Amino acid sequence: MEETHLKASVHIVKTLLTAVALGVGSSAFAQAYPSRAVTLVSPFPPGGAADVVIRMLAQELGKEFGQSFVVDNRAGAGGAIGTSSVARATPDGYTLLVTSSSTMSINPHLTAKRPYDPFTSFTPISLVGYATNELVVTATLPYKTVGDLIAAAKAEPGKIAFGSNGVGTLSHLMGEMFMQQAGVKMLHVPYKGAAPAVADTAAGQVSVLFANVASVAPMVKTGKLRGLAITSLKPTPLAPGLPTIAESALPGFEANQWWGMWGPAGLPRDIVDKLNAAVTKILSNPDTVQRFNAEGVGLLTGTPEDLTAYLRADYERWGKVVKAAGIAPE
């Protein structure tokens, strides 16, 4: 009997020691993170605002942690290839996703069979930034305000043409939301990307365009395009002097491209908190603010829960627009 009790006691002690060892090992692992290079997946091709954002962030994270943060551009399928690759990755903090509203709050409404769910396939880490968009018109047209444009569109339903970067892009959906809220009808002309849409609006082939502030700034400066308003709720130094659409004519109108950081579902909270603290510190640095602003990007920070709330609001916003516009998922 005593021998049985002794064996049982030894077994309990071994079990406790193993548990303590595992706990110490897990804690040490978390404290050491990151102990090797971290991959930041961008679901977009190199170049453009999204790539600028993620590369600047990777550079600063590398300085903060003393480890390499390597950008991996995995473009294709409207961002689904790179985004879904992170959803399938091991949740150890060494494969992260920095992506925009297009892949997380817009494309899910346009894709019949999604390879990922924006809310359940990922662990939220931090908001990163946003790009204000601008409503511009061909400079030779008489529209000086948003009200002028709405009045003209109401007078001639379907006659005024607005360009976009393509069907289902943010620039297209901004136009759809504008028409829905203003109660007007314009003719949608999709292009293959921002450059030809901006060029044709400046040339007068189409009259109206919703575009990233940075992409139209040169044409506005040379007088080929006229900026009427911005799509954020508040004025921004990224587009000095321009009113918002919300204050000009359509209360509540808001449409920004924005970026956030996520990990695969199941990413440990201690790693999430470590990354969130680093991103918040980086984005609070005046030098970083200046560098991002120079690229037409404003900064956003917040908790992982803030990121989820921001995503939810944007996801629901574009879901309503897509449904009202009758755009069928493909």
Side-chain angles (χ1 to χ4, degrees), residues 2 22 44 47 110 133 180-181 194 200 257 264 319 327:
E2 290 182 3
L22 287 173
F44 308 105
L110 304 173
N133 294 283
Q180 291 166 19
Q181 292 192 18
D200 267 16
Q257 182 182 17
I327 303 173

Side-chain angles (χ1 to χ4, degrees), residues 8 28 33 42-43 47 49 61 64 97 189 212 218 234 238 253 275 282 311 315 320 326:
Y33 174 84
S42 170
L61 283 168
E64 186 67 23
L97 174 70
V189 181
N212 179 278
K234 297 179 180 179
L238 304 179
F253 188 100
L275 287 165
I282 289 166
L311 170 59
Y315 179 88
K320 292 176 183 176

Side-chain angles (χ1 to χ4, degrees), residues 268-289:
R269 183 69 194 211
D270 48 7
I271 293 178
V272 171
D273 289 342
K274 203 168 189 178
L275 287 165
N276 179 273
V279 172
T280 300
K281 179 181 177 181
I282 289 166
L283 299 183
S284 300
N285 185 309
D287 290 338
T288 306
V289 173

